[in-house]
Amino acid sequence: MHNIDDVETEETLTCLRITVHHPLHEIKNVFQLIHFNKREKHMVEDPLKVGRDTKSCHISLYDLRVSRVQFSIQAFRHFNSSKLFFEIKNLSKKGKLIVNNRELEHLNKVELPKKALVRFAEFQLLVEKEDGESTESFDTFFELARTPPWQEILCAPSMSPIPETGILINACTVPQQCSLQTPVEMEECELK
Amino acid sequence: MHNIDDVETEETLTCLRITVHHPLHEIKNVFQLIHFNKREKHMVEDPLKVGRDTKSCHISLYDLRVSRVQFSIQAFRHFNSSKLFFEIKNLSKKGKLIVNNRELEHLNKVELPKKALVRFAEFQLLVEKEDGESTESFDTFFELARTPPWQEILCAPSMSPIPETGILINACTVPQQCSLQTPVEMEECELK
């Protein structure tokens, strides 16, 4: 056992809380390879790959509509900042990736905001960043959502004030053509 | 043998021409693991890692001053563009990476301009991009330079017009504190 004097000062880790949803998850068991409610550590240097291929992906989704490698999330640091930020890149040649209101084609990438709704095939992932101190590694923490996360976002009062002019790009604005197969009332939601 | 009718139309590949220099390359043989003057293909999805570690790096440099993984170069596409672009990210915790005039610390990243001078330890790499059509893979092509590439850039007439105001960020502006151990006349070069 280490003497506590010899151990390096413990740093808190930035955590990506990822709340996942799939309308048929109970039937198709698409999340069978995900370890829910458990912090998992990742080195900042390695892109976190999400897709169907269990060999090359850190996070595997058991669904034929998902590409072998669907997307990656990568840590980086802005100049003169010690905080970790993340970028998401679409690695699928066939499928679009929608991050909040933005459609990403193959090799398009965007910086993840503090709270982002990521959608592809019938999947919805709400990715929320909790800042930590370490710049060596970060955690992921997966939770399962029974209802689509974007509905929860819609219900949260005044989370996304609608500007009088300009385009609102946030998790609330779910374009209809990109929404799930299950029809949902969109009245309160600004359509694209 | 394939019938030519069945074969997919050949696409030209974007190529990163990388001209490398190290003042002691003949003595220390730091480039012994590089395949010079040979096009090598890389998939766009995979970050191209450069460093000392032969297992995790695609391009290995045989020098103890180089970090296990020094940096990565990654392909991406801007929105509404079919061209490949590249980003360089410093993955070394100990060493700075200088891209043209910009110092990158651990996890800092910048987009590579068409022509970029990348420096770390005593290495200089001139990275030049030649555009191609394919968005599936790209080539690298390594050449050895006997003289430091930035000297060549300095000598090229009016390649880098100096603006009357503002900061000139290009390969010509080599900050002295970051320059090589071999002292070089800097008269014509704008110092940081």
Side-chain angles (χ1 to χ4, degrees):
Chain A
M1 209 177 129
H2 284 293
N3 185 323
I4 199 161
D5 300 353
D6 305 333
V7 179
E8 292 225 357
T9 313
E10 208 169 81
E11 286 182 311
T12 57
L13 264 59
T14 297
C15 182
L16 293 179
R17 285 192 170 263
I18 306 177
T19 311
V20 299
H21 175 81
H22 187 286
L24 303 173
H25 79 92
E26 280 175 355
I27 302 155
K28 291 171 80 183
N29 208 2
V30 292
F31 298 125
Q32 62 184 266
L33 301 167
I34 305 265
H35 305 290
F36 283 109
N37 306 313
K38 188 173 167 286
R39 273 184 173 251
E40 287 190 304
K41 197 172 172 175
H42 308 271
M43 298 312 290
V44 286
E45 287 82 8
D46 300 323
L48 184 77
K49 287 186 179 173
V50 180
R52 183 160 41 89
D53 185 355
T54 50
K55 277 182 208 134
S56 56
C57 292
H58 305 79
I59 293 152
S60 301
L61 298 168
Y62 193 80
D63 182 5
L64 280 171
R65 281 196 63 196
V66 172
S67 292
R68 284 189 186 80
V69 186
Q70 186 80 35
F71 65 90
S72 72
I73 291 181
Q74 285 189 60
F76 72 99
R77 279 175 50 224
H78 284 289
F79 286 92
N80 305 316
S81 165
S82 60
K83 267 191 197 171
L84 285 188
F85 288 85
F86 295 88
E87 212 167 44
I88 186 165
K89 190 196 274 182
N90 187 5
L91 296 178
S92 166
K93 288 185 195 89
K94 291 185 183 160
K96 279 184 183 165
L97 188 74
I98 301 155
V99 180
N100 287 351
N101 224 16
R102 192 117 202 209
E103 278 189 23
L104 275 66
E105 293 185 350
H106 183 226
L107 295 182
N108 287 163
K109 64 185 180 73
V110 284
E111 183 179 332
L112 277 180
K114 191 94 177 160
K115 195 167 186 165
L117 185 64
V118 177
R119 291 174 297 143
F120 54 95
E122 290 177 277
F123 289 84
Q124 283 189 41
L125 278 66
L126 180 66
V127 184
E128 292 167 282
K129 187 177 77 138
E130 288 172 6
D131 287 323
E133 294 151 355
S134 172
T135 55
E136 300 210 352
S137 55
F138 64 95
D139 275 344
T140 51
F141 187 90
F142 279 84
E143 285 173 290
L144 181 66
R146 307 264 159 202
T147 51
W150 76 264
Q151 277 190 324
E152 284 174 33
I153 290 175
L154 269 182
C155 297
S158 54
M159 259 192 57
S160 359
I162 295 168
E164 282 181 26
T165 52
I167 302 156
L168 176 66
I169 298 184
N170 67 16
C172 178
T173 57
V174 181
Q176 201 162 34
Q177 72 272 27
C178 314
S179 72
L180 305 180
Q181 291 183 342
T182 357
V184 190
E185 288 290 332
M186 300 287 277
E187 270 171 21
E188 285 179 49
C189 186
E190 190 192 19
L191 297 177
K192 206 180 178 181
Chain B
M1 209 178 131
H2 284 292
N3 185 323
I4 199 162
D5 301 351
D6 306 329
V7 179
E8 292 228 357
T9 314
E10 208 169 81
E11 287 181 311
T12 57
L13 263 58
T14 297
C15 183
L16 293 180
R17 285 191 172 265
I18 306 176
T19 312
V20 298
H21 175 81
H22 188 284
L24 304 173
H25 78 91
E26 280 175 355
I27 302 155
K28 292 172 79 182
N29 207 3
V30 292
F31 298 126
Q32 62 184 270
L33 300 168
I34 304 264
H35 305 290
F36 282 110
N37 306 313
K38 189 174 167 286
R39 272 182 173 251
E40 287 189 304
K41 197 172 173 174
H42 307 272
M43 298 314 288
V44 285
E45 286 82 8
D46 300 322
L48 184 77
K49 286 186 179 174
V50 181
R52 182 159 43 87
D53 183 357
T54 51
K55 277 181 209 138
S56 57
C57 292
H58 305 79
I59 293 152
S60 302
L61 298 168
Y62 193 79
D63 183 3
L64 281 172
R65 281 197 61 197
V66 172
S67 293
R68 284 187 186 85
V69 185
Q70 186 79 38
F71 65 89
S72 73
I73 291 181
Q74 285 190 59
F76 72 98
R77 280 174 51 223
H78 284 289
F79 286 92
N80 305 317
S81 164
S82 59
K83 267 191 196 171
L84 286 188
F85 288 84
F86 295 88
E87 212 167 43
I88 186 166
K89 190 196 276 183
N90 187 5
L91 296 179
S92 166
K93 287 185 197 90
K94 290 184 183 162
K96 280 185 182 164
L97 188 75
I98 301 154
V99 180
N100 287 351
N101 221 17
R102 192 116 202 209
E103 279 190 21
L104 275 65
E105 294 187 348
H106 181 227
L107 295 182
N108 286 162
K109 65 185 180 73
V110 283
E111 183 178 334
L112 277 179
K114 191 95 177 159
K115 195 168 187 164
L117 186 64
V118 177
R119 292 174 297 141
F120 54 96
E122 290 178 276
F123 288 84
Q124 284 189 40
L125 278 66
L126 181 66
V127 184
E128 292 167 283
K129 187 176 79 139
E130 288 172 6
D131 287 323
E133 295 152 353
S134 173
T135 54
E136 299 211 353
S137 56
F138 64 94
D139 276 344
T140 51
F141 187 90
F142 279 85
E143 285 173 289
L144 182 65
R146 308 265 160 204
T147 52
W150 77 263
Q151 277 189 325
E152 285 174 33
I153 289 175
L154 269 182
C155 298
S158 53
M159 259 193 57
S160 359
I162 295 169
E164 282 180 31
T165 54
I167 302 155
L168 176 67
I169 298 183
N170 68 16
C172 178
T173 57
V174 181
Q176 201 162 33
Q177 73 273 26
C178 313
S179 72
L180 305 182
Q181 290 183 342
T182 359
V184 191
E185 289 290 333
M186 300 286 279
E187 271 171 20
E188 287 183 49
C189 187
E190 187 194 18
L191 296 177
K192 205 181 180 183

